[in-house]
Amino acid sequence: MAYENILYDVSDRIATITLNRPEAMNATTDGLYQELHAALREIAADPGVGCVILTGAGKGFCAGADLKARRDDMTPIQLRARHRWILKDILEPLFRLEKPVIAAVNGAAAGAGFNIALACDFIIASDKASFIQAFAKVGLVPDLGGLYLLGRVIGINKAKELCFTARKVLADEAKELGIVNHVVPHDQLLAEARAIAAKIVAGSPTALAMTKTLLDKASNSTLDQMLEYESYAQTVAYLTPEYKEGVQAFREKRAPDFAAAAARG
């Protein structure tokens, strides 16, 4: 489909989604969410994509909801239905996508923008990036999964502090808290993200998908459950053409081509 609120590109098995409303600091609207949903569906169905980079155009990553686009005529039931649509069609598919997703945060990630970044697998931040759970400033609770995601990343007490105070966290502090994996110079952000993505797409698509899914399940599972999941996943991995390619490449002292093996079936 033709996109107006995002940019979408695939190169070298890396899909890049750029939130593209720079005049509004990439604040979210229903139109942007619809396009993000479509892009995620396209990525999920495309075996030619092995990793995703999510970033923002202009000076900001995402300023959260566009309050100027908010409708004041919706009933509470309609508001809840809309919010559930966003969670089920955008947030959950982003979080559960069986391909690694890197958030390349190039500026302010505020409110829903912060939590969209948290729904990715990890975050690389520009040294100009900042993060804020801005909801308390407008009388709202953290949304887009923030109530679930933030505490998992930084611990419940720190999460409460950031949500209650709505204070801004700059890139270096975000790294110290564990929100951000790497802080890089602003003009090197996308290059660094692509370098990491290139290492990821060199891996086995099947093994990566299972690894991501099981790591996400680990914090809500018992040891017994995780060992059982592991036994099934590893059995599947042993049966894949990627495993056969990996063993053959090891014996031949060359780099494995997992993507080609997966495509051959």
Side-chain angles (χ1 to χ4, degrees), residues 186-253:
H186 184 74
D187 60 358
Q188 297 177 24
L189 177 64
L190 285 181
E192 290 289 335
R194 287 195 64 84
I196 294 174
K199 293 178 181 178
I200 291 172
V201 298
S204 158
T206 305
L208 284 170
M210 292 191 293
T211 299
K212 173 175 176 174
T213 299
L214 294 183
L215 283 172
D216 285 335
K217 290 179 73 68
S219 64
N220 296 319
S221 302
T222 65
L223 175 61
D224 286 346
Q225 287 170 330
M226 287 306 301
L227 294 179
E228 190 70 7
Y229 298 150
E230 177 189 311
S231 70
Y232 282 107
Q234 196 70 307
T235 301
V236 170
Y238 276 126
L239 298 174
T240 63
E242 292 115 294
Y243 172 68
K244 294 175 183 177
E245 165 66 8
V247 172
Q248 185 174 344
F250 176 79
R251 290 171 176 166
E252 296 174 358
K253 298 182 179 180

Side-chain angles (χ1 to χ4, degrees), residues 28 38 45 53 77 86 118-119 131 148 161 182 184-185 192 205 223 241 252 257 260:
T28 61
I53 296 171
I77 291 176
I86 294 169
L118 288 175
F131 301 83
Y148 175 77
E161 177 195 336
H182 306 286
V184 301
E192 290 289 335
L223 175 61
E252 296 174 358
D257 190 344

Side-chain angles (χ1 to χ4, degrees), residues 112-129:
F114 187 169
N115 296 331
I116 288 170
L118 288 175
C120 300
D121 294 300
F122 57 89
I123 300 173
I124 302 174
S126 151
D127 54 12
K128 296 183 179 180

Side-chain angles (χ1 to χ4, degrees), residues 77-93:
I77 291 176
Q78 289 172 324
L79 285 168
R80 188 175 70 164
R82 176 183 176 273
H83 198 72
R84 283 179 166 173
W85 161 67
I86 294 169
L87 294 175
K88 286 295 182 183
D89 279 9
I90 296 91
L91 189 282
E92 190 170 348

